[in-house]
Amino acid sequence: NAGVMQNPRHLVRRRGQEARLRCSPMKGHSHVYWYRQLPEEGLKFMVYLQKENIIDESGMPKERFSAEFPKEGPSILRIQQVVRGDSAAYFCASSPVVGYTEAFFGQGTRLTVV
Amino acid sequence: AQSVTQLGSHVSVSEGALVLLRCNYSSSVPPYLFWYVQYPNQGLQLLLKYTTGATLVKGINGFEAEFKKSETSFHLTKPSAHMSDAAEYFCAVSDTGNQFYFGTGTSLTVIP
């Protein structure tokens, strides 16, 4: 059973471009969580999704950021018109049930905005 | 509301010495507690977790942690540090809801 797969591992974007980060949960997992890790900081919650539904997006910036988890395919975190402050590591976790007792994290996507 | 405080952003120990990384939490409900390790440019790897039952939890790589409700603590220990233990360690709390709440991390350096 493959783990949580995130791609790309590294992404470089120029200011104003769009960044699309992908997360394929573990097989059988229908709950996906996205976190952002800024340099020298811990991970901060962004959004929690189930298949085709956003359950909690209280940690998402109000503008430029969106997330989806379609019925088929990976979860996507989309950042429009990136700015330097978006440079961070973005981690995805998945679990088979709500809550974190069985959650697994991916290796993250490191976004650099130049 | 949940929150986690990790005392000491940087800890250095000699190889073979005791490792003690501190974590205190606040939670309005019985918490689930976790320790994760992050190696450079890697993701998070679960070391151990406390959900219910025995308060002394054993994890991978010889680490263990004890849930002390009266002290609202979940400190991570390892009797003898190894060079390969050098990494960033994160304590996290969850109330089984939609979020983990992470501490800001402790960077462990092991001195040969």
Side-chain angles (χ1 to χ4, degrees):
Chain A
N1 189 359
V4 178
M5 303 300 293
Q6 290 188 249
N7 67 82
R9 292 289 308 279
H10 300 274
L11 182 61
V12 179
R13 285 288 177 265
R14 296 187 183 280
R15 281 179 295 173
Q17 290 185 319
E18 177 180 289
R20 291 171 67 88
L21 288 61
R22 295 174 182 77
C23 170
S24 296
M26 290 182 67
K27 186 177 181 180
H29 288 197
S30 58
H31 301 255
V32 167
Y33 313 83
W34 284 93
Y35 283 78
R36 177 166 61 175
Q37 184 181 30
L38 294 169
E40 306 298 322
E41 294 187 17
L43 281 75
K44 302 293 186 187
F45 171 78
M46 298 182 75
V47 63
Y48 161 43
L49 311 102
Q50 293 181 30
K51 284 284 188 181
E52 301 185 275
N53 288 300
I54 296 174
I55 307 302
D56 181 352
E57 56 182 348
S58 59
M60 287 275 273
K62 298 300 181 195
E63 298 178 350
R64 301 187 298 108
F65 285 72
S66 62
E68 63 178 13
F69 189 16
K71 185 176 181 180
E72 300 292 338
S75 176
I76 306 288
L77 179 67
R78 183 183 178 202
I79 311 172
Q80 296 177 293
Q81 300 176 331
V82 295
V83 300
R84 289 234 170 99
D86 296 333
S87 295
Y90 292 83
F91 290 94
C92 160
S94 74
S95 66
V97 295
V98 65
Y100 287 89
T101 57
E102 301 298 331
F104 293 87
F105 280 83
Q107 292 195 304
T109 293
R110 279 158 181 83
L111 173 65
T112 302
V113 180
V114 297
Chain B
Q2 328 290 326
S3 68
V4 173
T5 301
Q6 290 185 241
L7 295 175
S9 58
H10 298 275
V11 170
S12 294
V13 299
S14 297
E15 191 175 15
L18 171 71
V19 176
L20 171 61
L21 304 182
R22 299 177 186 276
C23 173
N24 289 86
Y25 70 91
S26 72
S27 176
S28 55
V29 298
Y32 288 3
L33 295 158
F34 306 78
W35 274 100
Y36 282 88
V37 61
Q38 184 181 32
Y39 297 100
N41 297 317
Q42 297 293 317
L44 296 174
Q45 181 180 4
L46 180 66
L47 276 177
L48 49 80
K49 63 184 177 185
Y50 168 79
T51 54
T52 58
T55 56
L56 181 62
V57 181
K58 294 185 184 300
I60 62 171
N61 301 338
F63 284 93
E64 61 182 37
E66 186 171 10
F67 169 54
K68 292 187 176 180
K69 184 177 179 181
S70 61
E71 299 177 8
T72 61
S73 69
F74 191 57
H75 301 330
L76 182 71
T77 60
K78 181 175 180 177
S80 177
H82 191 274
M83 295 298 294
S84 61
D85 295 327
E88 190 86 15
Y89 291 81
F90 292 96
C91 180
V93 63
S94 170
D95 59 1
T96 77
N98 298 339
Q99 299 188 28
F100 266 134
Y101 296 84
F102 282 90
T104 51
T106 298
S107 177
L108 176 66
T109 300
V110 182
I111 303 167

